[in-house]
Amino acid sequence: QVQLVESGGGLVQAGDSLRLSCVGSGLAFSSYGMGWFRQAPGKERGFVAAITRNSKSTYYSDSVKGRLTISRDNAKNTVYLQMDSLKPEDTAVYYCAASYSGRYTYSDKYDYWGQGTQVTVSS
């Protein structure tokens, strides 16, 4: 009965900002590292960002470093992705995921996945 529900996606112009949210239920949220992945049409799902259980460490794809910021609020069972200076190449469905163990850049190390939220960035 674990659920991860993403929200906050939408249509924006290049240079704009969005904040994605992912709310978890049915799991001990603070026991899981959290990550964001994305998938554009015709492309493989790729790693975006991850954060450890206690927010001590974060990890980013080189393509988003400096523009996107991951954070979490364990009291609210929520992980966020602040997206600034968006580019058309950021257009994708963004997925939230939970991992009980490390190696956060590998999608097969995640135990649970959300349904995704669409982000579209126009040029």
Side-chain angles (χ1 to χ4, degrees), residues 18-82:
L18 282 173
R19 190 182 74 165
L20 307 184
S21 298
C22 172
V23 179
S25 61
L27 79 169
F29 188 81
S30 62
S31 295
Y32 289 81
M34 300 297 299
W36 288 96
F37 292 77
R38 66 188 181 185
Q39 187 168 26
K43 298 192 67 177
E44 295 182 354
R45 182 175 59 194
F47 171 76
V48 176
I51 187 167
T52 55
R53 301 163 188 82
N54 58 3
S55 300
K56 291 292 186 181
S57 299
T58 57
Y59 308 89
Y60 296 95
S61 166
D62 289 341
S63 63
V64 306
K65 194 173 300 181
R67 300 188 299 113
L68 277 58
T69 304
I70 189 170
S71 62
R72 67 190 295 165
D73 185 344
N74 288 340
K76 297 181 178 180
N77 287 357
T78 302
V79 62
Y80 305 95
L81 186 67
Q82 178 66 44

Side-chain angles (χ1 to χ4, degrees), residues 1-4 25-27 112:
Q1 204 170 7
V2 172
Q3 284 190 293
L4 300 174
S25 61
L27 79 169
Y112 305 107

